[in-house]
Amino acid sequence: MHDPAGRDAIVVRQAFTPSVNLQAATEVICSRTPTQIQVFKQHYYSRFGTHLEHDVESHTSGDHKKLLLAYVTMPRYEGMEVDRATVEMDAKALFKAGEKRLGTDEKTFIRIFSERSRAHMAAVSAAYYNMYGNSLKKAVKKETSGFFELGLLTIVRCAENPTKYFAKVLHKAMRGLGTDDTTLIRVIVTRTEIDMQYIKAEYLKKYRKTLNDAVHSETSGHYRAFLLALLGPNH
């Protein structure tokens, strides 16, 4: 029933207390635009009397913590223009910080992923592939792990195509034995007013099944009826 920013604040706060769900916190923070983050930070403080940064500091650790803190504090450009020279420079820097060397220079990954705009990161991802014949996402998977890896992948996937990213998250939540209901609810409720029709189209394209059918087969009763009502018509 809350507006999107208020909802994000609640989801992240719940993800930090009492049983910590760092996947949810990472997904929400790393998939939002700088403007969305600024607004939900204000909601967070007015609702819970504590700064988002303080809770990130308390509940996360290592490179994951550094990435999230940088991501929620750095102002990023939100336009579509990119500077080709900087894009190539960043692609080279990431290659040098990861695949080219023994071990990983995490600082470079954190700096580039938290400071650059979405359009810029999408261009870096394409340039990386053109220059080194390997995808930036594969490099991230190879060079990093855990929630730090999840944060970096979320940033790059949302830079390339946020609706494809959320289709993937939903598919993963319903794959295999049992359903990850927390994720299913979170994504459907938070994206319904934003880009759900596009997510449904991506889901159908990628998994050859409508999202409505997938949700229908994984849920039941009033819960199923409610989620399907949020998803809208099955086409």
Side-chain angles (χ1 to χ4, degrees):
M1 302 303 169
H2 298 273
D3 64 340
R7 215 162 32 214
D8 283 349
I10 292 164
V11 169
V12 173
R13 178 69 170 186
Q14 282 174 347
F16 286 144
T17 53
S19 57
V20 180
N21 179 354
L22 292 180
Q23 182 197 330
T26 305
E27 174 206 292
V28 170
I29 291 169
C30 296
S31 66
R32 302 304 190 250
T33 65
T35 304
Q36 287 169 335
I37 290 171
Q38 287 316 313
V39 180
F40 103 69
K41 271 166 71 174
Q42 289 160 9
H43 275 261
Y44 200 92
Y45 183 71
S46 61
R47 187 177 285 270
F48 306 115
T50 179
H51 290 289
L52 173 65
E53 292 87 336
H54 176 267
D55 278 353
V56 169
E57 182 79 47
S58 311
H59 296 288
T60 60
S61 60
D63 293 314
H64 179 231
K65 178 199 284 191
K66 288 177 195 162
L67 176 69
L68 291 190
L69 284 174
Y71 208 72
V72 298
T73 50
M74 281 286 172
R76 281 178 299 283
Y77 172 64
E78 291 188 48
M80 293 311 290
E81 292 85 9
V82 295
D83 176 57
R84 283 281 144 217
T86 316
V87 165
E88 285 194 13
M89 205 167 69
D90 284 349
K92 275 180 195 155
L94 289 169
F95 182 68
K96 222 162 126 185
E99 294 189 288
K100 196 181 177 186
R101 57 175 281 168
L102 207 63
T104 310
D105 166 17
E106 289 88 358
K107 269 196 190 120
T108 299
F109 276 85
I110 293 167
R111 177 179 61 79
I112 292 171
F113 277 67
S114 66
E115 290 179 7
R116 304 300 191 230
S117 73
R118 277 191 173 180
H120 183 93
M121 281 310 300
V124 168
S125 181
Y128 193 96
Y129 185 78
N130 291 336
M131 289 156 83
Y132 305 110
N134 194 11
S135 83
L136 181 56
K137 293 186 288 267
K138 276 196 184 132
V140 165
K141 285 178 191 171
K142 202 168 101 185
E143 297 295 324
T144 62
S145 62
F147 292 113
F148 179 48
E149 175 193 345
L150 178 70
L152 294 173
L153 285 175
T154 302
I155 291 167
V156 76
R157 282 179 177 143
C158 286
E160 291 174 343
N161 185 344
T163 53
K164 194 173 175 182
Y165 163 76
F166 283 111
K168 196 182 177 83
V169 172
L170 286 167
H171 184 258
K172 214 169 159 186
M174 295 183 280
R175 199 175 58 194
L177 217 59
T179 302
D180 176 359
D181 292 300
T182 317
T183 299
L184 194 59
I185 294 165
R186 181 179 66 250
V187 176
I188 291 176
V189 170
T190 58
R191 304 314 288 186
T192 292
E193 300 159 76
I194 300 169
D195 51 6
M196 185 48 76
Q197 296 315 310
Y198 298 105
I199 293 170
K200 281 161 72 174
E202 278 295 341
Y203 196 95
L204 180 61
K205 195 164 104 187
K206 197 167 167 60
Y207 304 111
R208 300 268 172 263
K209 184 182 192 176
T210 69
L211 180 56
N212 294 55
D213 287 346
V215 168
H216 190 276
S217 61
E218 291 295 325
T219 56
S220 61
H222 294 306
Y223 172 43
R224 172 202 276 168
F226 191 66
L227 288 183
L228 291 175
L230 285 174
L231 287 178
N234 187 13
H235 51 66

